[in-house]
Amino acid sequence: MSAEHEVIDLDEHDHRPADSDGTVPDRLVSRRTMNVRLVAALVIGVVLGGAGASELRVSRDERERNASVVLVALPEDSVSGDSGTEVLGVIQLDGQLAVINAGPAPITVGAAAGQRPGIQVRDTGQSKLLRPGGTGWIDVKVRIECSSSTAFESEPLSIRSSVETADRRIREVNYPVAVKGGAWDRAAEMPCAYLSYAGKRGG
C-alpha cells in the first residue's frame, strides 16, 4: 500500500513558464515598461516639437507683421498759397497729403519729401501715428515751376518718407503720388496762367 503514495499524478501541471526561476516574467514586465516609456517620450517630443515650431512660426509672423509697411497717399483738395513771383515763374502752395496705412500694424509717418523737374514737395516737420486702415493728413509745402512741362506729367511723383514701424525701427519708404489732374495741379492752374499773362504783358 505504500506504493500508492509514490504514484505521480500526470494530471497536475505546472502552469509557470518553462524557466521555473521566474526571471522571464520580470524581464517581460521590464521590457514592456521600457517600451511604454519610449513611446511616451516620443509622443512628448512630438508634442513639444510641434508646440515649439508653432511658437516660432507665430513669432516670425508677428515680426513680419510689425515690420511691414504699405502706404497709399494722395494730394488733398485743401490747398492755399501765394501767386508766386513773376520773375521766377514759381508758385508756392500749402497743401496736404492724405496718407492711408494699408498695412497690418500701426506706423508713425514722419518726414516726407519728393521732387522732379518742375515740382518739389516737402513736409512741415510733423509726424502722424496711423493705426491699420487709418488715414492721416501731412502738411506739405509744394513748389511748382509754371514753365516746366514735367511738373504734372502722367507719371506719379515718388514721395520718400521715414516710417517708424511697430517694432520701433525707422524705415525709408517710397510711395507714388498721382499729381496730374489732382488738387495741386488744379490749384496751380490759375496762378500759373496769371504769371504767364503778366510775363507776356511785361515783355
Side-chain angles (χ1 to χ4, degrees):
M1 296 298 291
S2 60
E4 293 179 358
H5 297 288
E6 297 178 3
V7 174
I8 298 173
D9 187 355
L10 296 176
D11 291 333
E12 290 182 5
H13 298 286
D14 189 353
H15 296 286
R16 290 181 303 172
D19 192 349
S20 60
D21 62 2
T23 57
V24 172
D26 289 343
R27 219 178 284 155
L28 286 174
V29 170
S30 177
R31 193 173 300 156
R32 286 174 183 165
T33 303
M34 181 74 71
N35 289 341
V36 169
R37 287 177 180 171
L38 287 174
V39 170
L42 180 62
V43 170
I44 291 172
V46 169
V47 170
L48 292 179
S54 177
E55 187 175 337
L56 287 174
R57 189 163 50 249
V58 169
S59 177
R60 183 193 62 199
D61 292 345
E62 185 176 355
R63 286 197 305 270
E64 290 177 356
R65 183 178 69 87
N66 289 338
S68 63
V69 178
V70 183
L71 287 179
V72 178
L74 61 154
E76 270 291 283
D77 287 337
S78 176
V79 179
S80 62
D82 57 43
S83 59
T85 60
E86 294 184 14
V87 176
L88 298 176
V90 174
I91 60 171
Q92 305 277 351
L93 301 174
D94 294 324
Q96 284 186 324
L97 268 178
V99 182
I100 303 167
N101 178 10
I107 57 174
T108 300
V109 181
Q115 69 176 54
R116 69 176 173 218
I119 186 169
Q120 182 180 31
V121 179
R122 59 180 175 82
D123 69 283
T124 60
Q126 298 176 336
S127 60
K128 297 290 181 182
L129 174 63
L130 301 177
R131 58 177 177 78
T135 302
W137 287 266
I138 300 176
D139 293 330
V140 293
K141 297 287 187 181
V142 185
R143 183 179 184 273
I144 300 168
E145 297 176 14
C146 294
S147 60
S148 174
S149 60
T150 60
F152 297 107
E153 62 184 11
S154 58
E155 291 296 321
L157 175 65
S158 178
I159 299 290
R160 184 181 67 258
S161 182
S162 65
V163 176
E164 182 179 350
T165 52
D167 57 2
R168 299 194 177 280
R169 294 184 180 182
I170 304 297
R171 290 173 168 78
E172 291 291 327
V173 179
N174 289 293
Y175 49 91
V177 174
V179 293
K180 183 175 178 62
W184 303 338
D185 191 356
R186 295 193 302 271
E189 188 175 357
M190 288 187 64
C192 280
Y194 171 78
L195 289 178
S196 177
Y197 174 73
K200 289 177 181 178
R201 286 189 60 186

